[in-house]
Amino acid sequence: MTSSVSGSGSVSGSGGSQVAPPRQHGYTSGWTIFAGVMLITGGLMAVFEGISAIAKDDLVVVTRNYVYSMNTAGWGWIHLILGVLIVVAGVAVFSGILWARIFGVAIAGLGMIANFLWLPYYPGWAIVLIAIDALVIWGLCHGGLERAAE
């Protein structure tokens, strides 16, 4: 039995049947999957952060004389809603659709801004979430570029 490989990447055997290689979507790559997982992880952390602030937990330090001062319950609702949107973006990124990547970059950017403003209230968690959002933005902007160059 002989087989030949055509220029389109399909393999045809002597029986005339063609077997096409599995089709991979142009926008899914290892970095995109990494960014989706990190979006979901960071979004869940933001949800827990929001719940903690709404419940007036002792983990949140209430500061005086901060330029961006707000009631911690208000910050909690912002983080809770933003966290849910970040999780939705993370799930959407796995579809490999371009709009999901754009939405993921935009929502991760909003998450970075919200956590920067949250720094005086819970600095450790805010720094971790800023780093996660930065990695997400890099992963979504970088992922898929290797295949586009091929």
Side-chain angles (χ1 to χ4, degrees):
M1 177 174 180
T2 62
S3 64
S4 63
V5 177
S6 66
S8 66
S10 62
V11 178
S12 61
S14 61
S17 64
Q18 292 187 349
V19 178
R23 186 172 187 270
Q24 294 180 344
H25 199 283
Y27 293 111
T28 56
S29 72
W31 286 114
T32 307
I33 293 169
F34 169 79
V37 169
M38 295 308 287
L39 272 169
I40 293 170
T41 303
L44 289 174
M45 289 174 69
V47 166
F48 294 137
E49 182 179 47
I51 291 170
S52 178
I54 292 169
K56 306 281 188 195
D57 199 347
D58 292 335
L59 294 173
V60 178
V61 178
V62 179
T63 60
R64 295 180 297 211
N65 302 330
Y66 179 53
V67 176
Y68 305 109
S69 63
M70 183 187 282
N71 182 354
T72 54
W75 277 116
W77 282 107
I78 289 171
H79 285 284
L80 181 66
I81 293 167
L82 196 57
V84 169
L85 290 174
I86 290 172
V87 170
V88 168
V91 171
V93 162
F94 287 118
S95 69
I97 301 172
L98 181 61
W99 69 262
R101 292 166 53 108
I102 294 169
F103 180 63
V105 169
I107 203 75
L110 288 175
M112 285 180 75
I113 292 168
N115 283 300
F116 174 76
L117 298 175
W118 181 251
L119 272 170
Y121 298 101
Y122 202 172
W125 206 330
I127 290 171
V128 167
L129 287 174
I130 289 170
I132 287 174
D133 289 333
L135 286 172
V136 163
I137 291 171
W138 186 83
L140 289 175
C141 291
H142 180 71
L145 293 179
E146 303 86 23
R147 288 205 179 100
E150 292 177 351

